[in-house]
Amino acid sequence: MNFQEKQTFWSWWMIILMIFLLLSTVNFDLFNLLRGDFSEINFNPGFWIVVGIIILFSFIRLKTTINEEGIAVQFFPFLLKTRFILWSQIGHLYIKDYNPIADYGGWGYRNGNEGKAYNTKGSVGLQVIFKDGSKLLIGTQKKDELSRIAIQVNQEILKMENNKIIANPLDNLS
């Protein structure tokens, strides 16, 4: 069982929006540009703000890796260290359709009514419910592949982990 997904905030509509914002913040005379005179181009402060946003969004990456040991999540620059979740910490997991704005207040590194969320786009995620009751949603663009892995993990790994706890409760005392 190996799963890996890398996501960014970029989508076709974000690229079009950023191009529109960049063009709307540049002062120029179209007739001078058509004649090859670029000396009249002025960049106002809004242009540099949009450039900064583009640079920031270019660095943001959500990487999810699932293997036999657990789930590793990197969400640069929000999580500077990889968060590794062992199977023994998880009670249950499943694929969830959610409303990013209503449930978590948007996209990114979020704390919402439904717990924490790491998401970049879309409205589908891997819902992790920890044994202590806390929740973490990890956004995905690979719903079908991750759904098969979640079923496998619940049936094979988490069932075995939960049976260990029930079978020998004295092991937890030491």
Side-chain angles (χ1 to χ4, degrees):
M1 167 186 38
N2 285 319
F3 173 83
Q4 189 168 21
E5 181 178 17
K6 295 177 184 174
Q7 299 179 68
T8 67
F9 273 109
W10 294 114
S11 59
W12 66 269
W13 64 267
M14 284 247 329
I15 294 169
I16 291 172
L17 176 65
M18 290 299 148
I19 290 170
F20 174 76
L21 288 173
L22 276 175
L23 292 176
S24 69
T25 59
V26 176
N27 300 324
F28 60 91
D29 182 355
L30 184 59
F31 294 113
N32 287 344
L33 289 179
L34 293 175
R35 284 184 276 151
D37 180 10
F38 299 100
S39 63
E40 298 292 321
I41 296 177
N42 293 313
F43 300 103
N44 66 36
F47 175 85
W48 299 110
I49 292 170
V50 174
V51 167
I53 291 170
I54 290 171
I55 291 169
L56 174 67
F57 275 49
S58 296
F59 283 104
I60 297 174
R61 299 268 187 273
L62 174 59
K63 181 180 175 185
T64 307
T65 305
I66 300 176
N67 60 29
E68 297 79 23
E69 298 173 22
I71 304 170
V73 182
Q74 295 174 317
F75 199 11
F76 185 83
F78 305 111
L79 293 173
L80 297 178
K81 292 172 56 178
T82 300
R83 179 173 181 189
F84 194 76
I85 306 164
L86 296 170
W87 295 127
S88 61
Q89 298 172 296
I90 299 172
H92 186 66
L93 53 89
Y94 60 93
I95 299 301
K96 177 182 178 180
D97 290 313
Y98 65 99
N99 184 324
I101 295 171
D103 295 340
Y104 298 99
W107 295 267
Y109 179 91
R110 313 299 292 185
N111 258 328
N113 297 333
E114 300 290 322
K116 284 187 181 178
Y118 308 147
N119 55 15
T120 58
K121 57 187 164 196
S123 60
V124 177
L126 177 67
Q127 180 69 67
V128 179
I129 301 175
F130 294 94
K131 289 181 178 176
D132 68 3
S134 61
K135 297 178 183 179
L136 172 65
L137 182 109
I138 305 167
T140 186
Q141 302 301 304
K142 296 182 177 182
K143 178 180 182 176
D144 295 336
E145 186 179 347
L146 199 53
S147 181
R148 285 189 294 276
I149 289 175
I151 290 168
Q152 180 184 358
V153 166
N154 282 320
Q155 289 176 347
E156 296 173 14
I157 298 173
L158 295 183
K159 186 176 180 182
M160 190 170 61
E161 287 291 330
N162 289 333
N163 284 340
K164 282 182 196 175
I165 293 170
I166 293 168
N168 197 352
L170 296 178
D171 288 343
N172 294 332
L173 297 176
S174 52

XYZ file of all heavy atoms in Angstrom, residues 9-19 57:
118
model
N -2.171 25.310 -4.762
C -3.390 26.110 -4.844
C -3.769 26.430 -6.292
O -4.877 26.850 -6.558
C -3.220 27.440 -4.087
C -3.543 27.337 -2.626
C -2.540 27.407 -1.683
C -4.838 27.185 -2.193
C -2.830 27.329 -0.333
C -5.142 27.103 -0.846
C -4.134 27.174 0.080
N -2.854 26.260 -7.220
C -3.091 26.697 -8.590
C -4.142 25.853 -9.293
O -4.119 24.642 -9.250
C -1.799 26.683 -9.400
C -0.819 27.678 -8.904
C 0.380 27.422 -8.329
C -0.950 29.098 -8.915
N 1.000 28.587 -7.977
C 0.200 29.649 -8.326
C -1.940 29.986 -9.348
C 0.393 31.009 -8.173
C -1.737 31.344 -9.197
C -0.588 31.840 -8.619
N -5.055 26.538 -9.937
C -6.041 25.917 -10.813
C -6.242 26.885 -11.982
O -5.761 28.027 -11.948
C -7.350 25.662 -10.071
O -7.874 26.875 -9.571
N -6.918 26.466 -12.998
C -7.055 27.302 -14.191
C -7.693 28.658 -13.879
O -7.272 29.694 -14.377
C -7.845 26.565 -15.282
C -9.273 26.304 -14.911
C -9.781 25.201 -14.297
C -10.378 27.192 -15.111
N -11.134 25.337 -14.093
C -11.529 26.549 -14.594
C -10.520 28.450 -15.678
C -12.784 27.132 -14.634
C -11.779 29.021 -15.706
C -12.888 28.369 -15.193
N -8.683 28.680 -12.995
C -9.358 29.937 -12.704
C -8.477 30.876 -11.872
O -8.582 32.097 -11.985
C -10.716 29.701 -12.041
C -10.654 29.050 -10.701
C -10.731 27.721 -10.431
C -10.491 29.703 -9.438
N -10.622 27.497 -9.082
C -10.471 28.705 -8.440
C -10.349 31.031 -9.038
C -10.319 28.984 -7.094
C -10.206 31.308 -7.692
C -10.196 30.291 -6.747
N -7.592 30.289 -11.034
C -6.668 31.140 -10.251
C -5.638 31.792 -11.161
O -5.264 32.945 -10.956
C -5.953 30.311 -9.175
C -6.806 29.992 -8.006
S -6.378 30.721 -6.440
C -4.676 30.925 -6.370
N -5.169 31.053 -12.156
C -4.201 31.604 -13.104
C -4.817 32.753 -13.883
O -4.212 33.822 -14.019
C -3.667 30.494 -14.037
C -2.843 29.486 -13.231
C -2.855 31.085 -15.181
C -2.487 28.229 -13.979
N -6.042 32.567 -14.355
C -6.735 33.638 -15.088
C -6.959 34.844 -14.184
O -6.749 35.999 -14.588
C -8.065 33.116 -15.671
C -7.761 32.122 -16.798
C -8.941 34.251 -16.164
C -8.959 31.387 -17.333
N -7.356 34.597 -12.930
C -7.569 35.688 -11.978
C -6.274 36.472 -11.745
O -6.282 37.707 -11.749
C -8.102 35.142 -10.656
C -8.285 36.161 -9.526
C -9.362 37.166 -9.880
C -8.614 35.462 -8.220
N -5.160 35.779 -11.550
C -3.881 36.456 -11.300
C -3.425 37.258 -12.522
O -2.902 38.365 -12.377
C -2.799 35.457 -10.891
C -3.008 34.871 -9.518
S -2.998 36.150 -8.244
C -4.136 35.463 -7.079
N -3.629 36.717 -13.716
C -3.282 37.466 -14.936
C -4.132 38.730 -15.030
O -3.620 39.828 -15.306
C -3.451 36.583 -16.191
C -2.373 35.493 -16.210
C -3.391 37.419 -17.465
C -2.586 34.428 -17.276
N 1.908 31.845 -3.321
C 1.125 30.692 -3.759
C 1.991 29.683 -4.509
O 1.678 28.494 -4.522
C -0.045 31.137 -4.629
C -1.263 31.528 -3.858
C -1.172 32.410 -2.791
C -2.506 31.025 -4.183
C -2.283 32.781 -2.072
C -3.631 31.381 -3.470
C -3.523 32.258 -2.403
